[in-house]
Amino acid sequence: MPRHDGGRLVLAVDVSPWLRPDAGSAAQRAFCWVRGRSRNTGQAIPGWPYSILVAVEPGRSSWVAVLDAVRLVPGDDVTAVTGAQVRATIDRLRDTGQWQPGDPPIMVLCDAGYDLTRLAWLLADLPLVVAGRVRSDRVYRATPPPSTGLRGRPARHGTRLDLTQPATGPRPDQTTATTTRRYGTATATAWHRMHQRLTHRDGWTHHDGPLPVIDGTVIRLHTDRYPKPLWLWTSEPTPDATAVDRCWQAYLRRFDIEHWFRFCKQTLGWTTPRLRDPAAADRWTWLIIAAYTQLRLARHHSTDLRRPWERPITPTSHLTPNRVRRGFRYLRTKLPQPARVPKNTRPGPGRPPGSRNRQPTPHHDPGKPQSSTTKTSKG
């Protein structure tokens, strides 16, 4: 398991679709929101969305350790499925001794499409910290001042922090500046004990009693290279300066899971087979994960077959997944072969030409998973 400072485990979760727009006979398809297929506009295309959970590595590396993969079916609550997936993974980490009492809390990173507040509420009993990016039009509330004893109900929400106009909100509690090689000076501004004002919609529809107040920390990251700031939220209510820097630095490593999606789809052929049964798609997904894991374990033993236009590998860097796959053919001949040589075979004859199909395959309409974002009050 890759570990960060102090032996901390950093997990990242995201959803990637296996698009099947022309497979009307494929069951349990859901509408997947994708971009870049037509003039860089968003489209809803039928397919099988998969929630992938990985452990990211520290430093400049595109390798990840894939821990779990769950296919979302129509009607699933994405936040609830993600919470159950993270809980089951942490239970396995405990059983295998990868995390023990006394170790640093596990950090779970998400993108802006997740409901971080509800995810932190579902996983409040686990030793972890939820962190992720939030949209720049969100509104957060500070902890109200103590009651003065006057008439009326005590306030549950304090000063308003509008991310579109942070100057009108409360003063930040911390400001740190770090010099980076790629982005210049990175300035992180943190507001402690900030929460969203929840409403009885989406995931909180069936919540009994008053809605909870889930405090966290809002972080604004600004760099010299990119003028637009990056907004993050972590479930730690009062982190110190080191924890604030750890949060945004770990979030930058979350993009390694995007490299895994591209490598598995374009190189390993994850979404190439035209399967009809969703159970067969699950088995093929786990075969791809097993093949990728073999490449990750062999990266220190593979031969570097560098192309003339590629950069040489330095002593402090690692081979990329594509270069390890390129040299794996020479390593495979030196490994033991527990399986026998496959026998030659040919495909079956199939239905005779001209005969009529008397067992037509049923067609299924694609569904839609439930939204994973929470509508919050603007007031």
Side-chain angles (χ1 to χ4, degrees):
M1 292 291 296
R3 298 182 181 273
H4 290 241
D5 57 319
R8 186 185 305 273
L9 293 175
V10 179
L11 309 182
V13 61
D14 203 353
V15 177
S16 181
W18 183 340
L19 301 181
R20 297 304 310 275
D22 53 349
S25 59
Q28 300 180 0
R29 291 184 305 163
F31 283 105
C32 307
W33 185 259
V34 296
R35 298 182 64 89
R37 290 174 59 92
S38 175
R39 297 181 181 179
N40 200 25
T41 57
Q43 290 178 309
I45 300 179
W48 290 317
Y50 278 87
S51 177
I52 308 296
L53 182 65
V54 303
V56 299
E57 295 189 355
R60 301 179 60 180
S61 173
S62 59
W63 290 96
V64 296
V66 186
L67 303 180
D68 196 16
V70 175
R71 178 173 49 84
L72 303 175
V73 300
D76 275 351
D77 187 349
V78 180
T79 304
V81 172
T82 303
Q85 184 181 13
V86 173
R87 182 178 297 275
T89 302
I90 292 181
D91 291 340
R92 291 195 300 268
L93 293 176
R94 287 173 168 176
D95 297 339
T96 56
Q98 296 291 343
W99 189 91
Q100 299 178 358
D103 293 346
I106 301 174
M107 181 175 291
V108 180
L109 304 175
C110 307
D111 206 5
Y114 287 86
D115 186 357
L116 301 179
T117 302
R118 183 161 172 250
L119 189 61
W121 170 261
L122 296 175
L123 304 176
D125 58 326
L126 296 180
L128 56 82
V129 175
V130 177
R133 183 171 65 94
V134 296
R135 293 171 49 180
S136 58
D137 59 349
R138 295 295 185 183
V139 176
Y140 287 85
R141 293 282 188 153
T143 302
S147 177
T148 58
L150 301 178
R151 294 183 179 180
R153 184 181 62 180
R156 301 189 65 197
H157 311 287
T159 309
R160 186 171 181 264
L161 174 62
D162 190 350
L163 302 189
T164 59
Q165 300 175 354
T168 60
R171 297 182 56 183
D173 297 289
Q174 286 182 356
T175 302
T176 61
T178 306
T179 303
T180 62
R181 182 174 55 180
R182 176 174 297 184
Y183 305 103
T185 303
T187 305
T189 307
W191 288 265
H192 294 169
R193 293 194 175 278
M194 305 298 296
H195 62 272
Q196 286 184 303
R197 185 175 180 179
L198 306 178
T199 59
H200 283 90
R201 305 182 201 175
D202 288 346
W204 304 97
T205 304
H206 304 288
H207 184 82
D208 298 332
L211 294 177
V213 174
I214 305 172
D215 288 331
T217 300
V218 176
I219 302 175
R220 180 181 182 269
L221 180 63
H222 181 271
T223 60
D224 296 337
R225 184 173 179 179
Y226 297 99
K228 186 177 181 179
L230 176 68
W231 291 95
L232 304 174
W233 185 85
T234 175
S235 59
E236 288 188 88
T238 55
D240 54 6
T242 304
V244 170
D245 291 339
R246 184 193 306 120
C247 179
W248 68 262
Q249 291 173 3
Y251 178 78
L252 296 182
R253 304 309 318 164
R254 191 209 68 86
F255 293 94
D256 294 342
I257 192 174
E258 306 293 344
H259 299 298
W260 184 85
F261 291 149
R262 180 180 180 181
F263 177 73
C264 288
K265 291 182 178 181
Q266 298 184 1
T267 305
L268 298 184
W270 175 24
T271 59
T272 301
R274 298 182 178 180
L275 303 177
R276 178 187 303 172
D277 187 8
D282 296 343
R283 289 191 294 268
W284 177 250
T285 300
W286 280 106
L287 286 176
I288 293 297
I289 293 176
Y292 177 84
T293 304
Q294 289 184 357
L295 295 178
R296 187 175 66 88
L297 297 177
R299 58 179 172 172
H300 299 294
H301 308 283
S302 180
T303 304
D304 182 19
L305 303 179
R306 185 175 66 90
R307 298 290 188 262
W309 56 84
E310 295 177 344
R311 296 181 180 179
I313 297 297
T314 61
T316 58
S317 59
H318 303 285
L319 291 176
T320 60
N322 207 0
R323 293 166 75 165
V324 172
R325 186 197 64 85
R326 190 186 306 157
F328 190 77
R329 67 182 73 175
Y330 300 99
L331 179 63
R332 184 178 58 85
T333 58
K334 304 177 183 180
L335 298 177
Q337 302 294 333
R340 298 179 180 178
V341 179
K343 298 181 180 180
N344 296 330
T345 182
R346 63 181 62 182
R351 190 173 69 251
S355 62
R356 185 178 180 181
N357 184 13
R358 300 184 182 279
Q359 295 179 355
T361 304
H363 284 55
H364 307 273
D365 295 331
K368 182 179 179 181
Q370 296 184 14
S371 175
S372 60
T373 57
T374 299
K375 299 179 181 178
T376 55
S377 174
K378 292 293 184 180

